[in-house]
Amino acid sequence: MKILIITPTYYPYIIGGGEYSTQYVAEGLAKLGHDVWVYSLGLENEKKVINGVHIIREYMPESSEYYFTRIKGTANEVIQTKNIYKIMHKQIDLMYSPRIYKKFKSMISTIKPDCLHSVSALSYMGRYNIWKAAYDLNVPVSHVARSPELVYFNFAQGKLDGLYRRFSRKSFKYVSYFAAPTNYILQLHNKYGIAAPTQTVIKNCVRNIDIIDDQDIFDIKENRIIYAGDIREEKGIKTLLKSFHSLSDSELLIIGEGKISEILESQDLIHNDKVQNRIRILPWLPQEELFSIMKKSKVVVLPSEWEEAFGRVLIESIFNGTIAIGSDRGGIPEVLHYDNRFLFKSKSSDELAKKLTWILEMCKNEYNSTLKDQQVWLGEYNYEHYIKKWSDFFTMQIGEKQL
């Protein structure tokens, strides 16, 4: 079966967990013998094969810059896209554009895929035209929501969300198969009428990591708290810093990139006699290095204040033998199995501080026992199981097309 995946960025260009998930799907399906093609944006036009996956990258002025300013490790190497351009260019996502439609119809006709699969909202790439082109060519269209971007316009403090959702519903009529990493994200879209005839939840996975369940791992741990991800206000960084002010004898390590770093550096949240020697901000690290630090830390926290689709770092933490906690926003409670011991109210620095204190003060036996409680869940995030679910998802589309 030939599968065409449309995604804004693809390996080795990583923005967040979504890029890893897309890579795992593409490479996993290729190993099963499927003919997998990926179309994505790039800073130049190129075609190559990576790990059995055929990759086409296209430079789209401004659209490429919009995404590549967010690539881990390269955020400062390209010019920031102007907000006015984003607003003007959004129309190709929401309505018919003869130029974009023709371009993608030609590409799909040339590749001749058995199905087309889109990842996330394809903002500024022309998703309406991509979906319509495939639909008009009788190519089944599927979509996976790795964020709530089809629901929230993220402009003018939400005043345009209602209009934006109407356009999203209109374009989604071309999508026959819909997947999401959590029930929460699937139901959020359905709540606003963004739905497909066939829908399913396929939880994310962690690849190439064995579960660390060594009872002695506690002996190498330091009183360290980790946040790893985008450094943006909606990720709850300020709440995390406020909670850290009430803690002592511990270190906070913030690993990531983002514009809010400049704001935080000038605030008392960091430059304070109580905490300034105990907070470190590091740039994005390769997975292997991040995992090494995780293993030696006591807790990983995801304090998001927006509708987090999944929260891969939580599962990565538990795989690496470290307790994970998160806010009650988005799909985080679902990932943590709604266990209130590991959840805190979003924006509540006091509640977060209590959770962190509880974990940091655990003795070895309590820590190991609590970690075991979380590791029970990890079978759900098995890589082989993940790829089989995606293979079945695409096989179903081809089978129904042939009926």
Side-chain angles (χ1 to χ4, degrees):
M1 143 173 86
K2 182 181 282 189
I3 304 162
L4 173 59
I5 298 174
I6 310 286
T7 181
T9 57
Y10 184 74
Y11 176 81
Y13 304 112
I14 304 297
I15 294 176
E19 282 68 42
Y20 287 118
S21 294
T22 305
Q23 178 195 1
Y24 298 167
V25 171
E27 293 181 0
L29 292 172
K31 285 182 180 178
L32 290 179
H34 300 301
D35 189 6
V36 183
W37 291 68
V38 171
Y39 169 87
S40 72
L41 297 174
L43 290 176
E44 60 182 7
N45 296 332
E46 64 175 346
K47 296 181 180 180
K48 60 171 58 178
V49 177
I50 299 179
N51 297 330
V53 178
H54 300 269
I55 300 166
I56 302 170
R57 288 194 175 92
E58 179 184 1
Y59 174 66
M60 291 178 64
E62 299 286 350
S63 295
S64 289
E65 276 82 357
Y66 168 73
Y67 284 101
F68 275 74
T69 55
R70 301 163 61 195
I71 295 295
K72 286 179 169 34
T74 63
N76 297 320
E77 296 177 8
V78 288
I79 299 171
Q80 294 284 341
T81 306
K82 295 179 180 178
N83 285 333
I84 187 65
Y85 174 83
K86 297 177 187 178
I87 299 169
M88 293 173 59
H89 203 61
K90 197 68 178 174
Q91 64 179 330
I92 68 170
D93 291 335
L94 306 177
M95 58 190 70
Y96 177 69
S97 163
R99 178 179 62 86
I100 299 297
Y101 174 82
K102 182 179 179 181
K103 179 181 80 170
F104 281 104
K105 190 172 185 180
S106 174
M107 183 188 73
I108 296 167
S109 297
T110 300
I111 295 175
K112 294 183 172 60
D114 293 309
C115 57
L116 180 144
H117 178 63
S118 58
V119 177
S120 200
L122 306 181
S123 294
Y124 315 111
M125 292 179 67
R127 65 172 175 267
Y128 177 91
N129 297 278
I130 295 170
W131 292 342
K132 177 173 169 54
Y135 181 87
D136 290 348
L137 289 168
N138 198 32
V139 175
V141 178
S142 64
H143 177 72
V144 59
R146 301 207 179 280
S147 74
E149 286 184 272
L150 288 176
V151 174
Y152 301 117
F153 189 33
N154 194 26
F155 181 76
Q157 297 180 328
K159 294 178 181 177
L160 298 179
D161 283 353
L163 178 63
Y164 179 68
R165 289 164 188 156
R166 255 187 297 178
F167 279 109
S168 291
R169 288 194 294 272
K170 178 183 176 183
S171 61
F172 219 72
K173 67 184 179 182
Y174 300 120
V175 178
S176 297
Y177 305 88
F178 185 27
T182 55
N183 282 291
Y184 177 88
I185 286 296
L186 185 64
Q187 292 166 9
L188 177 67
H189 285 76
N190 291 173
K191 175 182 176 181
Y192 295 107
I194 302 168
T198 301
Q199 302 186 142
T200 187
V201 172
I202 303 179
K203 296 180 179 180
N204 289 334
C205 75
V206 174
R207 189 175 72 168
N208 298 333
I209 305 179
D210 294 326
I211 300 174
I212 294 178
D213 58 0
D214 184 354
Q215 292 292 307
D216 293 328
I217 193 171
F218 183 84
D219 297 336
I220 68 169
K221 290 189 175 294
E222 301 171 5
N223 258 22
R224 183 188 301 122
I225 303 160
I226 289 182
Y227 167 84
D230 288 343
I231 303 179
R232 292 183 279 125
E233 190 159 356
E234 60 266 33
K235 286 287 191 174
I237 305 296
K238 288 185 178 179
T239 298
L240 174 57
L241 288 167
K242 288 176 183 177
S243 70
F244 187 69
H245 275 241
S246 64
L247 306 179
S248 60
D249 300 322
S250 57
E251 178 188 33
L252 173 61
L253 185 55
I254 298 175
I255 303 170
E257 294 173 349
K259 288 187 275 186
I260 200 171
S261 301
E262 300 170 5
I263 300 171
L264 294 176
E265 288 288 354
S266 65
Q267 293 189 348
D268 289 339
L269 289 173
I270 289 181
H271 292 302
N272 178 293
D273 290 340
K274 246 179 114 174
V275 299
Q276 64 178 353
N277 295 323
R278 298 189 290 119
I279 296 177
R280 286 191 294 151
I281 298 179
L282 297 182
W284 174 77
L285 299 174
Q287 267 194 337
E288 298 78 10
E289 193 172 345
L290 172 61
F291 292 167
S292 178
I293 295 173
M294 274 184 182
K295 293 169 187 174
K296 298 175 184 177
S297 303
K298 283 192 175 177
V299 58
V300 170
V301 58
L302 183 55
S304 286
E305 295 171 3
W306 77 305
E307 309 301 332
E308 197 78 46
F310 186 80
R312 173 187 299 277
V313 71
L314 299 170
I315 300 305
E316 292 172 339
S317 171
I318 300 168
F319 263 94
N320 279 290
T322 300
I323 293 173
I325 63 173
S327 72
D328 60 357
R329 291 298 297 271
I332 294 174
E334 190 174 334
V335 172
L336 294 177
H337 279 235
Y338 304 98
D339 191 324
N340 288 327
R341 292 177 297 168
F342 310 116
L343 297 169
F344 59 90
K345 186 172 179 58
S346 173
K347 298 185 180 182
S348 174
S349 58
D350 290 341
E351 190 175 347
L352 174 54
K354 290 177 182 177
K355 299 286 184 181
L356 292 172
T357 299
W358 167 57
I359 297 169
L360 293 172
E361 294 181 352
M362 283 180 179
C363 66
K364 181 175 180 176
N365 288 342
E366 184 183 6
Y367 190 93
N368 287 339
S369 174
T370 305
L371 177 62
K372 285 282 188 186
D373 290 343
Q374 292 195 320
Q375 290 183 331
V376 167
W377 312 330
L378 295 184
E380 300 177 10
Y381 308 105
N382 173 270
Y383 173 69
E384 286 73 22
H385 175 68
Y386 180 70
I387 298 304
K388 184 182 184 306
K389 289 204 73 169
W390 277 109
S391 181
D392 291 345
F393 180 73
F394 291 118
T395 300
M396 172 181 59
Q397 298 172 42
I398 305 306
E400 291 184 1
K401 178 184 176 182
Q402 294 172 347
L403 290 178

